[in-house]
Every structure is written in C-alpha cells, then in structure tokens.
Amino acid sequence: MQTVPNQPIECVPTVVVEDDRTGLSVETLKRAFQDNLFYIQGKFANIATQNDYYMALAYTVRDRLLRRWLTTAETHTHQGVRTVAYLSAEFLMGPHLGNNLISLGIYDEAKQAITELGLDFDALLQQEEEPGLGNGGLGRLAACYLDSMASLDIPSIGYGIRYEFGIFDQDIRDGWQIESTDKWLRYGNPWEISRPEWAVEVKLGGHTERYTDEHGRNRTRWIPHEVVMGIPYDTPILGYKTNTATTLRLWSAAAAESFDFAAFNSGDYFRAVQQKTVSETLTKVLYPNDESAQGKKLRLAQQIFFVSCSLQDMMLILIRQGIPLEQFHEKFAVQLNDTHPAIAVAELMRLLMDEHGIEWDTAWRITQKTLSYTNHTLLPEALERWGMGLFSTLLPRHLEIIYEINSQFLDDIRRKFPNDDARLSRMSLIDEAGERYVRMAHLACVGSHAINGVAALHSELLKQDVLRDFYELYPEKFSNKTNGVTPRRFMVLSNPRLTNLITSKIGDGWIKHLDDLRKLEAFVEDADFRQQWRDIKLAIKQDLATYIKQVNGIDVDPTSLFDIQAKRIHEYKRQHLDVLHIITLYNRIKANPDVHITPRTFIFGGKAAPGYFMAKLIIKLINSVGDVVNNDPDVRDRLKVVFLKDYNVKFAQRVYPAADLSEQISLAGKEASGTGNMKFSMNGSLTIGTLDGANVEIRDEVGAENFFLFGLTTPEVYELKAKGYNPYHYYESNLALKAVIDRIASGGFSNGDTNLFNPLVSTLLYKDDYLLLADYQSYIDCQDRVSQTYLDQEYWTRLSILNSARMGKFSSDRSIREYCEDIWYVKPVAVELKEYVQAGTGLA
C-alpha cells in the first residue's frame, strides 16, 4: 500500500453566512430589504413608492426585533416572572424605525445599506406615519417608561387603546388652528402583529340579577345590553443594546357578530352592519369631545373597554402559566397612569368575584396589592368624575361594587376620624353635592396600595391640598417619583451631532447611565470643546431655520437667540405671557427704532383641544403678533415670531436640540412635572421658568446660577389669591404692561378689530386665574437678563454645557428603578439570545 508523504494541511477559512432575517451586516441588510420589497410589499423598483421602501426597511428591522421579542416572551413565561402592567389611555410612542435602529446598534449600517441601494435614508425615516395615540406629556411619559423598562430588562407589558384615528393633525389657516383627521393607519403599520385568537369580551349596559350558585353562595350576574370584542395588537419595544424586547399591547374594538345575515337578506342593509359600526366606534378616536352626553358615554366606554381587556388578558396569562388567580398580585404589578384606568379597581373586583368565584375580602386584598396609582395633575377639573346616571346605565355592576367599597371605606374613616361629617363628604367615592358623581381619583386612591406624584413639589402639593384627606388617612401610601425622559430618543436619535461630541469625550456609557454626563464638567473650561459645542448648536439651528423657511416661509437668523415654547396650548401653561414679552420688545422698538435689542426668534408649537376656545384664541394671537412683528420694517429682523404647526414627537425631535432658551413659565403650583423642560435641558438649552413642577428639581441640579428664575412661588400664589387678587390693579400701575394690553385691545394685531381678542383681554384684566399680570414684570426683568447673558457667547456656552452635564437625574431609567424598588418590587430578568434555527419553533 502506497503511503502519502506528510504534507502541510491547507487551512480553508470558515465562511459564515448570516441569516437574512437576523443578520446585521450591511450586505445582509441590503439583501433582506430587497427581499421584503419584493415578497412582502409585492413591488419592484420601477413601481415602488417611497412608502413601499419605508415598509420594506421597517419589516427588515422588525425581523431583527422578533428574535429578541419571542426569546424575551419565552424567558419570562418559562420563569413565571413578576411583571409590570402599565395601563395608560395614551402612548405617544413617536416613530419606531429610527429608535429601533438605535436600540439594535445598526443605525449606521442601515443608513449605509440604504444609501448604497441609491435611496435617501433620511427621507425613509420621515416617511413613517407617527402613531398619534396621545395628547401630550402623559402619553409621551408612558412611551419613555416602556423604553426604560425594556432597556433595564424589566418584565413589562404596556396596555392601551389602538385608536384608529389619533390626535388630530393641526394646520394653521389665517392664524387659526384647523383640525383634520389623523389617519395614521392608512398605509398599514408594519410594527404591530394582530392577535385575534387572544380576543376577549367586554360587557356594557344592561342590568344585574342575584342568584345562588351550586355551593349555596349568593352571587351576582351581569346581563349586559351589549358585548364588544377586544382584539389585541402587539408591538415589540426593544431595549437599548440589550436582548430584552417587551410588549405594547393595544386593544381594538370589534363587534361580537359583525354581520346580521338575516337583516341583510330582508333588505335592511344598514341593520346588517349596524352592530359592527357601533362597536368599532369605541376605538375610533383619541379622546372624543365629551361636552355632549354621547361624548361622555363614549369616553367612559373607552376606559372600561381597555381596562377590562387588559385585566382579562392578565388572567389568561396566569391560566396559561398555571398560576392560581389568588396569586394575581404576586404575578402582576399594575400601574394606573392617571385616573383614566381607575375603573380597574371595580373591574378587577368584578372579574375576581363574578367570573372566578373569589370572595369579597380575598378579592379586595388582591386588588389593593395589585394596583398602584400615579396622579398627574393639580387641576381639580382634571380629576375625572362621572355622573351617576351615565355610570349606572353603562356600568351597573361596577356601581354596585363601588357602593360597597365606599360603604366599607366610610366606616374606616369614621373609626379614625369620628364625628367628622365634612371629612366623610369630602372623601366619599360619591360626590353628593348637587348632581351625584363617581370620583375616579378617590376610587384609585382607595383601591391602590401606592399613590405617587411626579415631581417633588407636585407630590407635596398632593399631600397638602388635592389629596390631603387621603394622605392623612393613608400616609404610608404616598411617595414621589419624579418623571424622566429617555436619552435614547431625545438625545441619541434627535441630536446625533451632540451625541457624537459627548461620546468622543466621555465614551458612550452615559446613554444607559445618564449620570455619567457629569464628566462633561471637566471640559467646560476647554475653549476648543466650547467652540465645538457652539458649532454644533449653530448647525442644528441652521437646519431648523431651513425647515421654518420651507414650512412657514419666514426667514430667521440662526445666530439669533432661539426662544422656544413647545407644549400643549393651555392657559395655565401661559403661552400668552410669552406673547406679552414679545409685544413689550416690539413696543420698545416702536418707541425708539434704534434701541438695542438682542436678536431673538420666538418659536411656538402646540395643539389646543378642539373645544377649548381660549387656547385657540391664544394660537391666533401668536400668529397675529407674528404677522405684524415679522413685517414691520422698524423691527429690522431683530425679532421673528414663528408658530410651527402639528406639534408631535417628530416635531419635538427637530426642535428640542435647536433651542437656546426653554420657556417653562406655568404659574407656580399648576404644572405637575413637565418633561419638555428635561428634554430641552439635556440638549443644552437654558431654562427660564417659575418654581413649578420639575423646574424646582432641574434648578437644584443645574445650579441656581444656571437657571433664569422669575415669578411668584406657590405659597405666594396662594397668599395673593387668598387676599383677593385684582389683576386690573397691575394693569393700571404698570405703564409698560398697560401699553402691551392696550395695543392688543385697540386692534393693533387684528387690523383694527377691537372685538377679536376681547375675550382674552377681558379675562386677563378682570379674572386672570393664572396670574399673568402679577408675574409680568418679574418675567420681563428676567428676560432682560437672558438677553444680556446671550451677548457673552463664551459664558452662555458654559451654562449650556453645564445644563446638559447635570441632567442625569432626569433619565426615565432612574424613574423606573425607583418604581421597581419602592412600588412594584420587580427585578430585572436577563434574556439570553439564542441563535435562531427552524427547529427552535418547537415543531417536530
């Protein structure tokens, strides 16, 4: 046998071929994108639209999420982990695509892949329809918290409503807000997966009846007038550079029987589809106008709908995992995000007792240990209450349960505070004064084991004023959890240039540990660093100036001070105080055209509730003042006024990084927290503000010398109102203020029409609930300090850097850690990502 002499073995390199559904390289992303365009969108390049390209990219990214999402669900199910259920009527998520690319760590790779295919990556990002499933801060906070829970590996589910039409699209015509339908689903939503097999039934209306069960127990049966199906739609929420992807589960209403064949055959075509139409109306629109009785009914129906769906879903999860319902509170920590989900107290009791046969005392113990309540307002009118007639008609069984809860609750009060009928009246779940109402905030307080405010001042005011009686009864329930925002969206995604500069100096650990931004303080005295900081800010402002020119047709100077107020339009937020300052500067110019004025661009953004006339009139005033100021040759472009339409998350991502000055000027004691103030400061904006909401804590963190403070404090507001506030006195005694009001009243901004702004002028002079005239001079003096400070750009840049560097406290990651430690008692669960193989599906 011939032997082969020893020869060197040639090493063949191992070739790794990435799976087209999970691979992260540029070449794999290109292949996956083209496959999705062809096989999912059913298009080729010659006929594909911009939306087709966006959808193909979205599906490419979603494939990479699904592996993490399903692995997370499998891990949590296998371990039976304690889970946070976050119930919120709003989730203002913002566009998903860019955020998911950041979280996956493939933003640059995706951009390169799309660019190499000859497409405009930025245009595809802008193509995404933003889900307008929130009105403002409440919904955006919920979205930030979902991001943080996923990034911190906290087992969690967000529960809400899949509104077919979100918050309205805003246009401005002749200075007035015009609303149009937000059709965010018109081209489909590539991020969601429908789960019709997990649908649940929700009962509405009807009556109750008593019966005796097989064990001889007295029970109650609810015979509903109507049954609606809740269909869950799931969206994966990927944490930043972690394997955890949690779930946002939104409920859509459908008819139990969508088509009446007998009615159709008899020729009654309307009745054939009537039930489908009525049922689906439930989730048609975010916050229906509740001025009418029908609007109120629909809004209450929305609340019980998503709460009942969510609680039933949790029970199904328990059943699938083999966990007894008596351990509901051990499996789930349910957070009520404001009063909208407060009906959960009665609904969880109903489900446990009526549907699963659990006795009252046990059900009540489970309910209280499960639920916790976040209050988001200091405005009494925002604490929801429902008329007894509506409540008894729509939710007869819940009213019976609330009566029993109230009876036992009032007995508790009598034992602790005997002979105090006034306290009983104030605290009762039923408001007996005049028309009777169910007080939802009271129900939430009684039925929850924890109650928290959202800023230190807010939490103290809850204890001293709004919920004082409940604090005196349940002091152990109360705590503060100051709001936070996610730096992933509002710095990394929104402000990549600043992100890259920061990372070049201190590394990227700050993105998940925002306190690391403190390391920037070491560079405050570095002249080169300050110059880079200024150059980036100027470039961002130039981008916004270009956008303003395109959208509004107004030329603005990017070197001017960008003074921005972007938030929901409301009298207590005092956008019109900002306008009084603009008119003050304009009056100075008209008195002396050569007076020195630090150039400013005033930028406003925000939506007014469709039925809120005064807020709409404020928008009209802003635009009318802008029309005059922007076109007066005496001004010589030193002042510009811009109202940017359609404020949403996309808008915020464009505007926050460009601000030099953030206007946080609500009357002290009115704003619960605010989160826009945090987003502006993180991006290097300085703040002018009152000691209201989270402003107090921001000022504490950044330093009093780095914050422009003005206005009355909360105790001073209370004192002034107690003495009898007379706004007309301030008008008469302050010549500058009088000149401002007189210019508005005389038609100076309305082509001589003295009636147009009369409602606003009269309210300020004779009512002024939010004390604009009392705070006016302090505000003007403070703004003059702002103008003087801005002239020294080196000093201003130091302040800007310090504002960013000291914002670590205001990460939503910190907020979520506090909730987990103090209220939810939920721990992180690491998810180990396994390679996907087809055999891993569990099928033979």
Side-chain angles (χ1 to χ4, degrees), residues 322-574:
I323 301 173
L325 286 179
E326 287 80 3
Q327 295 176 21
F328 190 96
H329 58 289
E330 297 174 19
K331 170 66 178 178
F332 287 107
V334 177
Q335 189 69 36
L336 309 179
N337 192 30
D338 215 4
T339 53
H340 310 119
I343 192 64
V345 176
E347 175 64 1
L348 183 53
M349 288 291 290
R350 185 192 71 81
L351 290 170
L352 291 170
M353 294 189 304
D354 296 357
E355 304 295 334
H356 296 283
I358 294 175
E359 296 291 346
W360 177 280
D361 289 346
T362 302
W364 185 238
R365 177 177 57 83
I366 293 169
T367 296
Q368 284 192 308
K369 287 188 174 183
T370 298
L371 302 178
S372 47
Y373 164 52
T374 299
N375 175 282
H376 282 276
T377 185
L378 290 166
L379 304 177
E381 64 270 23
L383 296 175
E384 284 191 313
R385 57 183 199 156
W386 297 106
M388 294 290 285
L390 168 62
F391 208 97
S392 61
T393 300
L394 192 66
L395 301 174
R397 179 58 178 141
H398 297 77
L399 187 58
E400 293 174 351
I401 292 170
I402 289 170
Y403 278 147
E404 181 58 29
I405 293 171
N406 196 42
S407 175
Q408 297 188 18
F409 173 57
L410 293 178
D411 286 343
D412 290 342
I413 298 172
R414 291 187 186 98
R415 281 189 288 271
K416 187 162 185 179
F417 303 100
N419 304 315
D420 193 342
D421 290 343
R423 184 182 296 268
L424 289 171
S425 177
R426 292 194 306 268
M427 296 185 73
S428 173
L429 306 188
I430 309 300
D431 185 348
E432 304 280 0
E435 183 184 350
R436 301 170 74 215
Y437 291 92
V438 180
R439 295 162 161 163
M440 301 308 287
H442 291 206
L443 179 64
C445 288
V446 175
S448 300
H449 72 273
I451 303 163
N452 72 277
V454 291
L457 175 63
H458 171 238
S459 294
E460 285 305 308
L461 292 175
L462 286 180
K463 293 189 288 188
Q464 295 170 18
D465 187 4
V466 180
L467 297 177
R468 177 176 177 175
D469 290 323
F470 288 90
Y471 176 66
E472 291 175 352
L473 181 64
Y474 303 128
E476 73 284 354
K477 287 190 179 186
F478 282 75
S479 68
N480 174 59
K481 297 291 173 280
T482 297
N483 286 344
V485 302
T486 170
R488 271 78 64 179
R489 180 175 291 276
F490 291 107
M491 290 187 76
V492 180
L493 179 61
S494 305
N495 201 341
R497 285 170 283 203
L498 188 62
T499 294
N500 291 336
L501 175 62
I502 293 171
T503 299
S504 73
K505 295 297 183 182
I506 65 173
D508 65 359
W510 62 273
I511 298 172
K512 287 192 82 167
H513 304 281
L514 201 62
D515 285 329
D516 284 358
L517 285 179
R518 283 273 180 180
K519 297 174 183 177
L520 288 177
E521 292 191 35
F523 301 96
V524 170
E525 297 306 322
D526 182 333
D528 289 340
F529 181 72
R530 290 199 305 273
Q531 187 61 53
Q532 288 176 286
W533 191 277
R534 269 196 306 277
D535 290 345
I536 286 171
K537 177 67 77 171
L538 180 59
I540 295 167
K541 290 167 67 177
Q542 286 171 332
D543 289 346
L544 183 56
T546 300
Y547 178 78
I548 290 170
K549 177 64 175 176
Q550 291 172 346
V551 174
N552 290 61
I554 300 172
D555 290 302
V556 303
D557 177 7
T559 66
S560 66
L561 191 161
F562 274 24
D563 179 332
I564 302 182
Q565 190 172 21
K567 56 183 66 188
R568 180 166 54 95
I569 308 295
H570 196 290
E571 288 170 278
Y572 90 83
K573 293 179 183 288
R574 302 202 299 189

Side-chain angles (χ1 to χ4, degrees), residues 14 50 127 136 182 185 218-219 262 284 402 409 423 441 456 460 550 617-618 639 642 646 706 727:
T14 301
Q50 191 83 327
Q127 178 65 29
D182 171 23
L185 285 170
N218 294 324
R219 301 280 298 279
K284 277 289 181 189
I402 289 170
F409 173 57
R423 184 182 296 268
E460 285 305 308
Q550 291 172 346
L617 192 60
I618 290 171
L639 304 177
V642 178
D646 214 25
N706 301 319

Side-chain angles (χ1 to χ4, degrees), residues 565 567 573-574 577 661-668 677 681 686-696 698-699 704 706-713 775 778-779 782-783 785-786:
Q565 190 172 21
K567 56 183 66 188
K573 293 179 183 288
R574 302 202 299 189
L577 179 58
L661 185 70
S662 160
E663 297 268 356
Q664 306 299 330
I665 60 177
S666 53
L667 177 65
N677 45 10
S681 291
L686 277 62
T687 302
I688 182 169
T690 55
L691 287 178
D692 195 28
N695 286 356
V696 178
I698 290 175
R699 183 170 178 263
N706 301 319
F707 187 103
F708 294 103
L709 177 67
F710 79 95
L712 298 167
T713 64
D775 270 349
S778 175
Y779 180 58
C782 191
Q783 287 284 17
R785 293 198 302 275
V786 170

Side-chain angles (χ1 to χ4, degrees), residues 605-663:
K607 295 179 178 179
Y612 189 177
F613 169 74
M614 199 64 79
K616 288 185 163 184
L617 192 60
I618 290 171
I619 293 176
K620 173 62 175 173
L621 178 63
I622 293 167
N623 285 298
S624 296
V625 170
D627 287 342
V628 172
V629 170
N630 296 345
N631 295 293
D632 190 328
D634 287 343
V635 175
R636 299 201 294 269
D637 293 335
R638 287 171 288 178
L639 304 177
K640 286 293 175 71
V641 182
V642 178
F643 189 96
L644 285 173
K645 67 179 182 179
D646 214 25
Y647 177 62
N648 56 18
V649 178
K650 277 187 184 179
F651 175 109
Q653 291 174 199
R654 187 190 304 275
V655 168
Y656 289 138
D660 292 307
L661 185 70
S662 160
E663 297 268 356

Side-chain angles (χ1 to χ4, degrees), residues 533 537 659-660 681-686 706 795-805:
W533 191 277
K537 177 67 77 171
D660 292 307
S681 291
M682 281 181 183
N683 286 281
S685 172
L686 277 62
N706 301 319
Y795 181 61
W796 186 277
T797 304
R798 285 184 174 89
L799 302 186
S800 175
I801 295 168
L802 289 174
N803 266 266
S804 286

Side-chain angles (χ1 to χ4, degrees), residues 11-85:
C11 292
V12 179
T14 301
V15 178
V16 178
V17 179
E18 288 189 315
D19 188 291
D20 281 358
R21 288 192 182 275
T22 61
L24 304 178
S25 70
V26 172
E27 288 304 315
T28 303
L29 292 172
K30 287 164 68 175
R31 287 198 308 271
F33 174 82
Q34 293 175 92
D35 281 353
N36 285 329
L37 180 66
F38 192 85
Y39 288 107
I40 295 184
Q41 289 305 105
K43 296 285 183 71
F44 52 88
N46 287 352
I47 63 170
T49 65
Q50 191 83 327
N51 192 67
D52 289 318
Y53 291 132
Y54 156 71
M55 295 287 278
L57 179 56
Y59 283 121
T60 301
V61 175
R62 196 187 80 171
D63 283 345
R64 281 135 189 87
L65 299 186
L66 284 175
R67 179 180 167 210
R68 290 159 175 79
W69 191 28
L70 294 175
T71 303
T72 301
E74 184 179 23
T75 300
H76 292 172
T77 299
H78 178 71
Q79 297 184 19
V81 297
R82 181 165 169 80
T83 301
V84 176

